[in-house]
């Protein structure tokens, strides 16, 4: 019956291509982010033929970023499919980034023949991909025989989703795809993974320890991280915050878990609460560089703080500072246990703490409102983002993708989010280049409009994927904040030579023209009014749009808010 039957076969057979597709479908995976080529071109065609959505990219890094974002948004591993050696390497940055960010994804790459690779005899795209991938992801597997495809895919799914989620590499040599098996035997060798991310209930004594600490706190604070956003325990987290009455800070991708306008949000008093809090409860957030490793000036007087940390990964505990009350388990189970343990008479934190936070917030929000109300010519980050801020307030369901330096920092602090998992950004590494891949994944997996706020430098890493956005007619509106360069366009060549400075781009570039080449809508916006009109029209029409938003080239600072990490700044401070 099938076109995969071998000639002269007396029994129906199934080949490696179809076993891979069936194994993915059996596990409810319906989308592949790919870049076709030898040896996986037919896999993309056949997957599409069998009803999977195959989104084909222009560069594997963006297919990989899309898979990672899809994993974060759906709690299913996003699949990135690439060719061998160079394609595989292009996908690795995304695989590694997914792992660092705890996003579940599987990079599936075709590879050359083992016999030739292992003897280094110079095969087409020869590379020992498995060995290279291993240290860069959570797990790596290779399948050599068709009868092991089911096991290989099951192991990859379980490794990506269980415990701390992450990236998994699956190596599929070219020869595997043409191997055949008796069809029924092949199909019955496939595995539907049961309960790939089992609940992990925290130990009761760890719950009591955490509650005892929280109860005695005079200035408690909750920090919500993107692990909390990933966990999809939104109602439980809201209950924890509201029942405890503890002010909270959302990390960047946890914004919107509760609306940023929530009375207990301490975002507008961030420095104050980090320095002053006496007990800090981390919920799916690591004490890495983004939180100054839990020590130093940011955290106020030394040894004044005690930490409670909820995490699924026991090894995370004590990684930077002592954790007084670790709570190991999945966030939903841990938060449910805390809420249950609080009983009905839980006392809210002392009023002097919450009042002090409210006063700080009001002061800072008033200051920000005054800055946002200014209307300089040309636009600066604030006046352009005042537009975006209002649009997101009116359309809280849109997904905001955000990368850049100043563009990232200002957007994060100015644009309030109202719903969970609506903000996707550069994450733990502060990586540039996630923009278009994340935007495609957000549109494909949610069918919601996507607004990508991009620095002009950041956009350059993935800009060619606007063709992908147009090809699939995705409801993505890209806004390029164009200030003529990396950080800005004012830098000069210190030698006085003819070349522009390394951070400066072509002045007055028209990024909007790029999308027009592919049939999308390009808009050149120089005022907040023009910007507002263009974004609103894009969101209403759902048409792929790219807005070139002209920003003052002297606005912003070197490295945005992480200037302190620049070697020249470090040198000055020594
Ligand atoms: P942020 O950058 O927002 O601070 P991080 O990526 O540093 O967040 O931290 C996310 C943490 O959440 C990781 O330590 C990860 O192990 C944890 N995590 C992810 N998913 C879950 C889950 N379902 N339950 C508990 N912890 C989780």
């Amino acid at each position: 019956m099938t076109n995969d039957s071998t000639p002269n076969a007396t029994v129906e057979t199934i080949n490696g291509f179809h076993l891979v597709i069936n194994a993915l479908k059996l596990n409810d995976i319906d989308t592949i982010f790919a870049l076709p080529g030898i040896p996986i071109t037919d896999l993309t065609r056949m997957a599409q033929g069998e009803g999977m959505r195959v989104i084909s990219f222009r560069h594997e890094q963006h297919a990989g970023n899309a898979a990672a974002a899809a994993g974060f948004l759906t709690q299913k591993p996003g699949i990135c499919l690439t060719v061998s050696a160079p394609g595989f390497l292009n996908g690795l940055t995304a695989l590694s980034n997914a792992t660092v960010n705890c996003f579940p994804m599987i990079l599936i790459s075709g590879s050359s023949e083992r016999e030739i690779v292992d003897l280094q005899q110079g095969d087409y795209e020869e590379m020992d991909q498995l060995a290279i991938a291993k240290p860069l992801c959570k797990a790596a597997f290779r399948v050599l025989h068709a009868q092991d495809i089911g096991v290989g895919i099951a192991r990859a799914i379980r490794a990506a989703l269980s415990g701390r989620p992450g990236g998994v590499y699956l190596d599929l040599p070219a020869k595997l795809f043409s191997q055949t098996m008796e069809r029924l035997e092949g199909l019955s060798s496939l595995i539907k993974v049961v309960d790939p991310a089992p609940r992990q209930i925290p130990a009761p004594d760890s719950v009591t320890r955490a509650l005892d600490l929280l109860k005695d706190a005079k200035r408690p604070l909750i920090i919500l991280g993107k692990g909390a956003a990933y966990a999809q325990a939104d109602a439980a987290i809201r209950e924890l915050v509201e029942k405890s009455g503890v002010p909270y800070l959302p990390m960047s991708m946890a914004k919107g878990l509760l609306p940023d306008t929530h009375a207990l949000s301490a975002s507008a008093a961030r420095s104050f609460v980090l320095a002053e809090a006496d007990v800090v409860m981390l919920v799916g957030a690591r004490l890495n560089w983004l939180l100054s490793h839990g020590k130093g000036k940011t955290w106020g007087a030394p040894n004044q703080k005690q930490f409670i940390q909820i995490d699924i990964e026991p090894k995370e505990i004590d990684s930077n500072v002592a954790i007084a009350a670790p709570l190991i388990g999945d966030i939903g189970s841990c938060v449910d246990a805390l809420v249950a343990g609080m009983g009905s008479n839980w006392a809210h934190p002392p009023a002097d703490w919450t009042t002090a936070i409210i006063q700080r917030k009001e002061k800072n929000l008033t200051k920000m409102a005054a800055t946002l109300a200014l209307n300089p010519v040309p636009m600066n980050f604030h006046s352009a983002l005042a537009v975006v801020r209002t649009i997101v307030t009116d359309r809280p369901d849109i997904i905001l993708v955000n990368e850049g330096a100043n563009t990232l920092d200002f957007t994060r602090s100015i644009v309030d989010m109202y719903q969970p998992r609506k903000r996707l950004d550069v994450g733990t590494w502060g990586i540039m280049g996630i923009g278009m891949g994340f935007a495609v994944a957000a549109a494909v997996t949610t069918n919601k409009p996507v607004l990508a706020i991009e620095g002009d430098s950041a956009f350059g890493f993935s800009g060619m994927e606007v063709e992908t956005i147009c090809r699939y007619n995705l409801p993505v509106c890209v806004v390029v904040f164009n200030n003529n360069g990396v950080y800005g366009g004012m830098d000069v060549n210190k030698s006085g030579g003819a070349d522009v400075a390394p951070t400066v781009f072509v002045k007055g570039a028209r990024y909007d023209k790029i999308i027009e080449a592919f049939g999308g809508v390009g808009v050149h916006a120089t005022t907040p009014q023009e910007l507002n009109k263009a974004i609103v029209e894009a969101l209403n029409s759902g048409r792929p749009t790219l807005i070139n938003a002209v920003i003052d080239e002297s606005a912003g600072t070197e490295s945005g808010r992480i200037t302190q990490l620049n070697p020249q700044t470090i040198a000055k401070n020594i």
Side-chain angles (χ1 to χ4, degrees):
M1 67 156 262
T2 63
N3 56 4
D4 53 339
S5 299
T6 48
N8 308 321
T10 51
V11 287
E12 257 187 82
T13 58
I14 185 165
N15 63 23
F17 285 118
H18 290 281
L19 286 168
V20 171
I21 294 162
N22 279 295
L24 292 172
K25 286 173 68 173
L26 182 65
N27 284 289
D28 302 321
I29 292 173
D30 53 14
T31 306
I32 294 178
F33 302 97
L35 204 157
I38 295 172
I40 51 90
T41 315
D42 270 347
L43 187 58
T44 60
R45 289 194 188 107
M46 291 175 188
Q48 189 176 51
E50 295 208 14
M52 293 188 83
R53 187 110 200 252
V54 180
I55 305 292
S56 195
F57 281 75
R58 303 301 294 263
H59 189 288
E60 291 87 351
Q61 187 169 327
H62 313 307
N65 284 328
F72 170 73
L73 290 169
T74 64
Q75 291 186 326
K76 286 195 266 180
I79 305 293
C80 172
L81 181 63
T82 79
V83 302
S84 32
F88 155 77
L89 288 173
N90 286 344
L92 263 192
T93 308
L95 181 70
S96 202
N97 186 52
T99 308
V100 166
N101 281 282
C102 317
F103 299 160
M105 77 169 272
I106 303 174
L107 173 67
I108 302 179
S109 294
S111 60
S112 314
E113 299 319 328
R114 295 302 326 145
E115 295 81 352
I116 304 178
V117 173
D118 289 347
L119 274 172
Q120 298 165 39
Q121 293 175 309
D123 203 0
Y124 167 73
E125 297 192 347
E126 176 181 298
M127 178 173 276
D128 189 357
Q129 296 170 195
L130 186 70
I132 291 165
K134 254 185 199 159
L136 298 174
C137 57
K138 199 176 158 193
F141 306 100
R142 177 185 292 131
V143 182
L144 291 175
H145 304 294
Q147 60 267 34
D148 292 329
I149 287 174
V151 168
I153 288 188
R155 297 206 73 188
I157 292 171
R158 204 173 273 286
L161 291 176
S162 60
R164 171 183 277 176
V168 175
Y169 174 61
L170 188 61
D171 193 86
L172 303 183
K175 263 194 208 163
L176 179 76
F177 297 116
S178 54
Q179 287 178 26
T180 55
M181 287 178 74
E182 195 273 310
R183 184 176 177 83
L184 286 178
E185 192 196 338
L187 291 178
S188 64
S189 71
L190 305 182
I191 296 174
K192 181 160 174 65
V193 177
V194 176
D195 198 12
R199 294 185 68 197
Q200 293 192 29
I201 315 290
D205 55 332
S206 68
V207 177
T208 310
R209 193 188 295 120
L211 285 174
D212 285 348
L213 200 55
L214 195 62
K215 194 162 51 198
D216 292 339
K218 302 276 177 293
R219 299 180 303 282
L221 174 69
I222 292 173
I223 298 183
L224 302 174
K226 59 180 166 322
Y230 171 77
Q232 299 195 14
D234 310 337
I237 287 169
R238 181 187 267 266
E239 200 181 349
L240 172 71
V241 170
E242 292 181 347
K243 192 167 178 182
S244 68
V246 174
Y248 73 95
L249 267 186
M251 298 299 286
S252 191
M253 281 178 61
K255 276 166 70 76
L257 256 177
L258 287 90
D260 279 338
T261 46
H262 194 284
L264 286 168
S265 168
S267 288
R270 189 175 193 275
S271 329
F272 175 73
V273 291
L274 286 179
E276 297 298 324
D278 62 351
V279 171
V280 177
M281 181 191 283
L282 299 155
V283 185
R286 285 170 284 185
L287 281 175
N288 55 19
W289 70 283
L290 288 159
L291 283 169
S292 308
H293 304 281
K295 50 199 169 196
K297 269 201 304 218
T298 310
W299 289 90
N303 307 320
Q304 292 300 305
K305 271 184 224 314
Q306 290 191 289
F307 288 96
I308 301 165
Q309 184 163 23
I310 302 180
D311 208 291
I312 204 154
E313 173 56 69
K315 292 200 296 288
E316 185 57 39
I317 306 304
D318 301 331
S319 56
N320 285 274
V321 295
I323 301 296
L327 210 55
I328 304 304
D330 69 278
I331 284 167
S333 301
C334 291
V335 172
D336 283 348
L338 286 172
V339 170
M342 285 166 133
S344 48
N345 296 317
W346 186 267
H348 282 192
D352 56 348
W353 173 234
T354 41
T355 311
I357 296 172
I358 291 169
Q359 285 166 353
R360 283 290 164 137
K361 273 172 66 173
E362 280 170 0
K363 194 171 125 215
N364 291 340
L365 289 172
T366 309
K367 218 159 90 186
M368 187 198 281
T371 316
L372 293 180
L374 300 175
N375 195 0
V377 180
M379 284 190 286
N380 62 10
F381 290 99
H382 290 88
S383 60
L385 285 168
V387 168
V388 178
R389 178 181 157 95
T390 307
I391 286 171
V392 175
T393 306
D394 293 345
R395 299 281 307 264
D397 63 325
I398 63 180
I399 298 186
L400 191 79
V401 173
N402 188 204
E403 62 176 335
N406 291 287
T407 303
L408 176 88
D409 294 335
F410 286 122
T411 307
R412 188 177 50 215
S413 58
I414 292 171
V415 179
D416 287 333
M417 305 305 295
Y418 299 88
Q419 295 179 8
R421 293 169 297 284
K422 297 294 185 191
R423 186 183 154 85
L424 302 174
D425 68 29
V426 302
T428 304
W429 265 349
I431 192 171
M432 294 296 125
I434 48 83
M436 298 305 100
F438 277 17
V440 169
V444 166
T445 57
T446 69
N447 289 321
K448 298 277 182 205
V450 178
L451 183 58
I453 304 294
E454 299 275 312
D456 50 349
S457 166
F459 173 72
F461 289 75
S462 66
M464 191 64 202
E465 302 297 345
V466 295
E467 190 274 334
T468 309
I469 290 168
C470 290
R471 187 163 14 108
Y472 294 99
N473 196 24
L474 299 174
V476 176
C477 173
V478 182
V479 182
V480 177
F481 276 16
N482 184 359
N483 64 353
N484 293 342
V486 184
Y487 313 131
M490 301 285 283
D491 219 354
V492 290
N493 180 340
K494 289 189 179 13
S495 79
D499 287 349
V500 295
T503 56
V504 172
F505 294 154
V506 167
K507 304 242 178 197
R510 293 289 303 270
Y511 291 96
D512 48 313
K513 299 285 178 197
I514 296 176
I515 202 166
E516 288 176 1
F518 308 112
V521 179
V523 183
H524 182 60
T526 58
T527 64
Q529 293 71 25
E530 286 170 4
L531 181 60
N532 181 62
K533 182 167 177 286
I535 299 178
V536 169
E537 274 177 18
L539 295 176
N540 287 343
S541 72
R543 288 190 62 194
T545 301
L546 196 160
I547 303 165
N548 181 54
V550 178
I551 303 287
D552 182 351
E553 66 175 1
S554 67
T557 54
E558 172 106 4
S559 310
R561 286 210 188 136
I562 52 173
T563 302
Q564 81 282 0
L565 298 180
N566 268 337
Q568 73 267 30
T569 316
I570 294 169
K572 265 187 233 150
N573 291 337
I574 287 172

